[in-house]
Amino acid sequence: MALPLSLLTVLVVGSGGLSGSVGCVLPQKHILLSGDNVELLRQMQRISTLSCLKDARDFRFPRAMIEGSQVQGTQAIFVLQEMLHHISVLLLTDHASSAWNTTLLSQVLMGLYQQLEDLEPCLVHEMGEQGTALASEGPTGAVRRYFGGIFPYLKEKKYSDCAWEFVRVEIMRSFSSIIALQERLSNMD
């Protein structure tokens, strides 16, 4: 997949920080983009997970911690940004571009880029206040550990089609929690 170098740079550099603010207003399109990305990810399915059961892995997605009552306000923004960032990193690998339809993959990446861009004002606001501490605590750390387990799995499975299929399902699972966090934040405004 040949994404323009400038887009890759913006995705990686622009998503490298953390963001958050209860006072930060996310545009409605931010939530809609997550729904669009879930639909695009559905369309990216190339093989059945049933034919890949030997490659199944429980990555222990921290849903209860992410969607639980302990993630409120600023922490929810940090978790949201962390998830979007890690999904972007996964999908920007060379192996991802060879596993899926590049047009669909590019559309997902553009949606992720827009969402990360929407979070940038929150980043600027919160990093001076309490951002650094929240960026490494509890749910944010759990998200980091969760995604940290996916990369070794892909390498172990030699980036097989089956491995990427299970990763696609995991990314969709992540978007379910992303949408829940986005809705919680939009209700706080």
Side-chain angles (χ1 to χ4, degrees), residues 117-143:
E117 190 174 82
D118 291 344
L119 289 172
E120 191 170 332
C122 303
L123 165 67
V124 171
H125 180 265
E126 282 302 315
M127 286 310 287
E129 294 180 15
Q130 57 187 350
T132 305
L134 286 174
S136 60
E137 294 178 351
T140 308
V143 167

Side-chain angles (χ1 to χ4, degrees), residues 14 18 25 46 51 80 88-89 103 105 112 122 136 153 176:
L18 295 169
V25 178
R46 291 184 13 194
S51 66
L80 177 61
S88 296
V89 170
T103 301
L105 183 58
L112 287 166
C122 303
S136 60
Y153 164 79
S176 172

Side-chain angles (χ1 to χ4, degrees), residues 34-47 49 59 61 63 67 83-84 87 90-91 100 108 112 146-147 150 164-180 182:
S34 290
D36 292 347
N37 280 340
V38 169
E39 182 53 36
L40 290 166
L41 285 160
R42 277 192 187 103
Q43 293 174 33
M44 288 167 62
Q45 181 177 10
R46 291 184 13 194
I47 57 176
T49 53
F59 292 100
F61 182 74
R63 180 179 305 277
E67 294 181 16
M83 292 176 74
L84 292 169
I87 292 169
L90 261 173
L91 297 180
W100 291 312
V108 171
L112 287 166
Y146 163 72
F147 280 101
I150 293 176
W164 278 113
E165 178 55 24
F166 279 104
V167 168
R168 185 189 67 80
V169 170
E170 288 296 318
I171 293 171
M172 289 177 62
R173 180 175 292 141
S174 297
F175 268 110
S176 172
S177 289
I178 287 169
I179 291 168
Q182 291 167 327

